[in-house]
Amino acid sequence: METQRQKKIGGVIQKDIADILQRAATDGGLKGTLISVSKVSVTTDLSIAKIYVSIFPANKGKELLEGIKSNQPMIKHELAQRTRHQLRRVPELLFFLDDSLEYIDGIEKSLKGEENPVKNPDLLEKRKKS
């Protein structure tokens, strides 16, 4: 259960990191790329922030995440400049790729297509009796 302080800091970090990443993407020449921060969870001692990033189109996701991780010190510095009146110390930033949209899209495609496991239960793996 997150405290109010964790939620507040997570919201501040989420807003500022989304702005930093989107600005870096447009300045870097990635005009058709949308980067959004879907979730930020902060530890109870406020020392680590796990940032879940959603990237569209999804085929550029892995390479952009590697670029974000390699530029993590500059991102942390920019975040510190933006939040210097709100946070005493900026937490350690850990970036993760949020692939929940692709997962949902895959489920919708399988339910609409011929590979619908609800209509054709033979597509599901058989349970082994032990």
Side-chain angles (χ1 to χ4, degrees):
M1 185 76 183
E2 282 188 331
T3 63
Q4 285 297 109
R5 181 78 176 143
Q6 287 173 289
K7 290 178 185 176
K8 182 179 177 185
I9 290 175
V12 167
I13 291 173
Q14 182 175 4
K15 183 179 77 69
D16 288 335
I17 289 288
D19 187 42
I20 291 168
L21 293 178
Q22 192 61 44
R23 187 177 312 257
T26 55
D27 292 347
L30 300 172
K31 293 286 185 191
T33 305
L34 179 66
I35 300 174
S36 64
V37 178
S38 57
K39 183 181 177 186
V40 175
S41 61
V42 182
T43 58
T44 54
D45 61 351
L46 308 176
S47 64
I48 299 173
K50 293 181 181 178
I51 301 167
Y52 295 91
V53 180
S54 179
I55 299 171
F56 183 80
N59 58 0
K60 298 180 181 179
K62 297 269 189 218
E63 62 189 46
L64 281 176
L65 185 66
E66 291 302 318
I68 290 170
K69 286 181 180 180
S70 66
N71 291 322
Q72 190 262 349
M74 290 185 287
I75 294 170
K76 185 175 179 179
H77 177 72
E78 178 70 25
L79 182 65
Q81 295 298 317
R82 290 174 179 236
T83 60
R84 66 178 177 257
H85 298 298
Q86 297 163 322
L87 298 177
R88 186 175 298 175
R89 290 185 55 221
V90 176
E92 180 75 25
L93 304 177
L94 302 176
F95 291 95
F96 299 97
L97 188 62
D98 183 20
D99 59 352
S100 59
L101 293 176
E102 291 87 40
Y103 181 72
I104 292 170
D105 191 42
I107 291 174
E108 286 180 358
K109 283 182 181 177
S110 66
L111 288 176
K112 289 180 182 176
E114 292 80 37
E115 298 178 7
N116 188 345
V118 175
K119 294 179 182 174
N120 188 1
D122 295 332
L123 295 172
L124 297 173
E125 295 180 16
K126 300 295 180 189
R127 293 187 186 179
K128 295 180 181 177
K129 295 179 182 177
S130 55

